[in-house]
């Protein structure tokens, strides 16, 4: 009998349809039955000995909440008979209600329940516990997970032991004698597709997370740790990685596992039906070679693949950007997005003006950083492209890798292009009420508000909203560095960097209007009509070892 190995994950939901992702123990037919009679089924497809299905369900009624169950070859496998959680449900929007969007990034897998958590309570675990305790209360309409859902280069103690038992840490693929770009032994990092599946089991089989993802829709995008720290920092970084014997298997496995576990669920039923790769994988008894060839093409020619996507939630538009694989790395044409991706972003942002009230741009890497960090990255980019000569260029490349100088500010032309697009999308008679850039990555939270040169502001309220980590450490050096980065003396130091690098002045200035806040945390936007509000909550441990989410800020972003 087929067993449910992972999932279900409720992914795409609109007023009348939904998709559910599952992994089964063997080939079978996966079926979802909703309590109102809606149902759907799909036969599993196989990748690297694993069996997956994405089950579409249509015929749902807008504005309803309905429980569902999952069956494999006709036998019920979800919910478990001994579940301590409320029934998993699908909530369909009715078009007029408020939309709640909860987002964050950087979730390192929590240790077993009987071990002390070295980085404090997990914000997603804590959110799950709150919803489970009051299933009819407030909950997000969608979770936006903005990168680093798994850490391929920073595995847990338990996964390290599992890898050692599987192949030994001295196995030549990857070899413990080799070094990663950070100088760490590569042997305890994931090597292949099977080891990637271990990361997802460890993360998504957490009981609270498993239930949460079964009942709250999610949108996902990768960041660097989904493959390796500093992924695609520069052309020379990539050349060095490609020269190692372990990199090709690592990156292909990372892209393959991302496509299976995260990317497919981002697509609507219509997009899935039109996806040629999805059709090819499903049509062959074993889709491993088909998917591997796709990953190899994506690695060789990043412009051949689009990982970015758009989702509309009533009158809220989300554009989720790939800011890792879509980069152009060669000097002097470095860009955060390749030309095709940049044009796609422009088309999505400007499509049908007046048809949305809020524009959300999801990018794992912040657009607006503390001023010192921004100026240091722009300066470094100038050094690397040779503004101060070859010696400074070599120094700049070494510093870029050591200090992770590879956010939007490190791609100055891309920064300016995004700035101009935000101003254009946020201006005019049909402008939305807000344009909000949602980001993570930097292990703290803050709110920054830009002002355009010449005093001409867009009609929309424009903000950078940054929130991370969901569950990870926040070293003292980061706390001190980012607090200082927003200060007046830091800004003066940043101006020195900009002058030395002969950097052009940005088209925008910005100020910190909230934070920095440090901790395991989530931000939630509530969008209703043209009004928008923001809440930041942190997971804090209370007496008795129980954690709860506590509001740090609540503020209105637009009337």
């Amino acid at each position: 009998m087929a067993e449910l190995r992972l999932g279900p994950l409720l992914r795409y939901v609109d007023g009348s349809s939904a998709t559910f992702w599952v992994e089964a123990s063997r080939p079978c037919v996966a079926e979802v039955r909703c309590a109102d009679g809606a149902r759907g089924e799909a036969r599993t497809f196989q990748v690297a000995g694993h069996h997956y299905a994405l089950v579409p369900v249509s015929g749902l009624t807008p504005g309803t909440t309905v429980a569902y169950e999952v069956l494999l070859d006709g036998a019920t496998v979800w919910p478990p008979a001994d579940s301590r959680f409320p029934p998993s449900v699908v909530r369909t929007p009715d078009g007029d209600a408020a939309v709640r969007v909860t987002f964050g990034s950087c979730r390192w897998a929590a240790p077993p329940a009987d071990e002390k958590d070295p980085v404090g309570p997990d914000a997603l675990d804590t959110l799950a516990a709150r919803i489970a305790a009051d299933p009819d209360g407030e909950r997000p309409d969608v979770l936006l997970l903005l990168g680093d859902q798994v850490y391929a280069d920073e595995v847990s103690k338990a996964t390290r032991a599992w890898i050692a038992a599987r192949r030994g840490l001295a196995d030549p693929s990857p070899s413990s004698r080799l070094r990663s770009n950070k100088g760490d032994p590569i042997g305890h990092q994931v090597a292949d597709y099977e080891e990637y599946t271990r990361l997802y089991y460890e993360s998504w089989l957490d009981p609270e997370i498993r239930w949460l993802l079964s009942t709250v829709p999610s949108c996902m995008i990768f960041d660097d740790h989904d493959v390796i720290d500093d992924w695609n920092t520069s052309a020379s970084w990539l050349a060095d990685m490609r020269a190692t014997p372990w990199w090709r298997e690592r990156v292909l496995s990372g892209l393959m596992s991302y496509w299976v576990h995260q990317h497919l669920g981002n697509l609507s039923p219509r997009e899935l039906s039109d996806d040629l790769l999805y059709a090819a994988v499903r049509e062959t008894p074993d889709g491993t070679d088909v998917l591997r060839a796709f990953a190899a093409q994506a690695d060789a020619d990043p412009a051949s693949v689009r990982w970015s996507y758009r989702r509309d939630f009533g009158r809220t538009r989300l554009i989720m950007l790939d800011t890792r694989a879509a980069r152009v790395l060669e000097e002097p044409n470095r860009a955060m997005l390749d030309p095709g991706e940049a044009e796609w972003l422009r088309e999505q942002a400007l499509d049908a003006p007046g048809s949305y009230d809020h524009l959300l741009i999801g990018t794992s890497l912040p657009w607006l950083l503390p001023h010192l960090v921004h100026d240091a990255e722009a300066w470094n980019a100038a050094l690397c492209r040779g503004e101060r000569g070859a010696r400074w260029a070599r120094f700049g490349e070494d510093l870029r890798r050591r200090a992770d100088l590879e956010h939007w500010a490190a791609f100055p032309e891309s920064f300016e292009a995004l700035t101009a697009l935000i101003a254009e999308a946020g201006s005019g008679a049909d402008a939305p009420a807000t344009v909000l850039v949602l980001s993570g990555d930097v292990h703290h939270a803050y709110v920054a508000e830009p002002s355009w040169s010449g005093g001409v502001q867009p009609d929309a309220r424009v903000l950078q909203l940054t929130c991370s980590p969901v569950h990870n450490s926040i070293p003292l050096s980061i706390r001190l560095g980012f607090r200082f980065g927003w200060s007046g003396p830091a800004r003066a130091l940043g101006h020195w960097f900009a002058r030395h690098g002969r950097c052009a002045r940005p088209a925008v200035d910005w100020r910190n209007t909230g934070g920095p806040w440090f901790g395991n945390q989530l931000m939630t936007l509530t969008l209703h009509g043209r009004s928008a509000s923001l809440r930041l909550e942190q997971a804090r441990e209370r007496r008795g070892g129980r954690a709860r989410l506590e509001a740090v800020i609540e503020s209105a972003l637009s009337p």
Side-chain angles (χ1 to χ4, degrees):
M1 185 177 76
E3 298 177 351
L4 185 64
R5 296 190 66 180
L6 193 59
L9 275 71
L10 174 60
R11 295 303 311 272
Y12 178 93
V13 175
D14 61 24
S16 61
S17 64
T19 60
F20 301 79
W21 182 99
V22 299
E23 182 187 350
S25 61
R26 65 172 179 80
C28 62
V29 173
E31 182 182 0
V32 173
R33 294 179 185 172
C34 298
D36 64 355
R39 61 176 296 277
E41 66 179 35
R43 177 163 289 279
T44 57
F45 60 90
Q46 179 173 310
V47 174
H50 293 258
H51 307 279
Y52 308 97
L54 200 63
V55 183
V57 174
S58 58
L60 297 168
T61 303
T64 61
T65 300
V66 59
Y68 71 89
E69 60 181 358
V70 177
L71 301 88
L72 300 180
D73 282 344
T76 301
V77 294
W78 186 269
D82 59 351
S83 175
R84 58 185 171 85
F85 295 97
S88 299
V89 300
V90 185
R91 289 191 174 188
T92 52
D94 64 8
D96 296 323
V99 175
R100 291 188 179 88
V101 178
T102 295
F103 66 95
S105 79
C106 308
R107 182 176 180 269
W108 193 66
D114 58 350
E115 293 184 15
K116 182 175 175 58
D117 195 328
V119 300
D122 184 324
L124 272 187
D125 262 9
T126 311
L127 174 64
R130 183 171 73 186
I131 296 173
D134 184 14
D136 296 323
E138 179 187 308
R139 65 168 66 192
D141 294 292
V142 64
L143 286 172
L144 305 187
L145 303 178
L146 296 169
D148 296 343
Q149 273 68 262
V150 294
Y151 280 70
D153 53 348
E154 295 180 19
V155 303
S156 69
K157 182 168 62 175
T159 293
R160 184 170 185 166
W162 179 87
I163 290 174
R166 178 178 184 249
R167 58 172 166 83
L169 298 185
D171 189 290
S173 180
S175 171
S176 60
R177 296 186 299 274
L178 297 174
R179 299 281 163 170
S180 73
N181 62 309
K182 287 289 192 179
D184 300 323
I186 201 68
H188 67 267
Q189 300 182 19
V190 300
D192 57 21
Y193 188 91
E194 185 63 28
E195 293 179 9
Y196 263 103
T197 66
R198 164 74 187 195
L199 299 182
Y200 284 102
Y201 292 153
E202 185 175 51
S203 181
W204 290 357
L205 286 177
D206 174 308
E208 284 76 16
I209 298 301
R210 190 177 197 182
W211 178 80
L212 178 69
L213 294 179
S214 77
T215 200
V216 177
S218 54
C219 295
M220 305 179 185
I221 196 69
F222 47 41
D223 199 26
D224 55 345
H225 289 285
D226 292 76
V227 175
I228 195 169
D229 190 25
D230 299 345
W231 180 28
N232 283 345
T233 290
S234 66
S236 66
W237 178 95
L238 185 57
D240 287 348
M241 298 303 281
R242 285 176 170 169
T244 65
W246 53 267
W247 171 249
R248 179 172 173 80
E249 187 61 36
R250 170 69 158 273
V251 71
L252 297 191
S253 297
L255 294 174
M256 290 169 66
S257 64
Y258 174 77
W259 184 86
V260 169
H261 292 83
Q262 298 189 48
H263 178 70
L264 278 179
N266 294 327
L267 306 180
S268 68
R270 180 177 179 179
E271 289 169 324
L272 285 170
S273 68
D274 294 338
D275 192 293
L276 297 180
L277 174 62
Y278 182 53
V281 169
R282 295 176 70 201
E283 288 168 2
T284 182
D286 185 343
T288 307
D289 290 343
V290 173
L291 185 55
R292 187 176 179 85
F294 162 81
Q297 176 66 18
D299 178 49
D301 180 14
S304 67
V305 177
R306 174 158 298 124
W307 301 106
S308 302
Y309 57 96
R310 167 180 152 185
R311 291 282 304 276
D312 290 338
F313 305 93
R315 291 185 60 82
T316 295
R317 178 171 298 174
L318 166 69
I319 303 174
M320 191 76 93
L321 291 180
D322 159 25
T323 51
R324 282 292 169 184
R327 296 178 175 186
V328 176
L329 300 178
E330 292 76 16
E331 304 284 1
N333 300 314
R334 277 172 56 83
M336 185 66 87
L337 307 175
D338 66 61
E341 195 83 357
E343 182 58 29
W344 176 87
L345 167 60
R346 180 176 180 82
E347 290 172 356
Q348 304 310 309
L350 302 179
D351 180 40
S355 65
Y356 59 89
D357 293 319
H358 304 279
L359 175 59
L360 311 181
I361 300 176
T363 164
S364 61
L365 304 174
W367 165 52
L368 302 178
L369 288 162
H371 297 102
L372 175 58
V373 180
H374 176 96
D375 288 337
E377 294 202 7
W379 164 74
N380 178 261
L383 297 186
C384 291
R385 67 174 177 261
E387 291 291 335
R388 304 294 296 191
R391 175 182 286 185
W392 277 105
R394 290 191 296 271
F395 167 78
E397 176 61 28
D398 181 67
L399 180 62
R400 174 157 61 189
R401 298 192 197 186
R402 291 178 182 275
D404 295 354
L405 303 180
E406 36 92 40
H407 298 81
W408 283 91
F411 298 80
E413 291 186 6
S414 297
F415 176 90
E416 293 297 334
L418 180 60
T419 299
L421 177 60
I422 288 171
E424 185 175 356
S427 299
D430 294 324
T434 64
V435 178
L436 306 174
V437 180
L438 315 183
S439 306
D441 180 69
V442 290
H443 287 210
H444 70 292
Y446 62 89
V447 179
E449 184 162 10
S451 57
W452 268 253
S453 301
V456 179
Q457 283 287 107
D459 298 286
R461 178 89 184 272
V462 179
L463 294 171
Q464 167 72 65
L465 305 177
T466 302
C467 183
S468 83
V470 169
H471 182 245
N472 211 319
S473 61
I474 304 94
L476 179 61
S477 58
I478 289 182
R479 294 174 185 256
L480 296 177
F482 278 108
R483 287 191 187 281
F484 176 70
W486 289 108
S487 69
R491 187 155 198 181
L493 179 59
H495 288 161
W496 181 89
F497 281 122
R499 289 194 299 272
H500 182 264
R502 300 166 182 159
C503 303
R505 184 176 179 180
V508 290
D509 194 4
W510 57 95
R511 62 191 180 95
N512 181 315
T513 58
W517 297 287
F518 300 94
N520 293 328
Q521 50 204 350
L522 292 164
M523 279 183 174
T524 297
L525 290 165
T526 301
L527 309 167
H528 193 194
R530 293 184 67 81
S531 69
S533 62
L534 173 70
R535 182 172 70 241
L536 171 70
E537 296 176 292
Q538 293 184 340
R540 295 175 178 170
E541 195 165 322
R542 311 301 292 173
R543 289 182 180 178
R546 296 181 64 87
R548 60 177 292 181
L549 288 174
E550 297 184 358
V552 176
I553 60 155
E554 295 187 69
S555 63
L557 305 183
S558 65

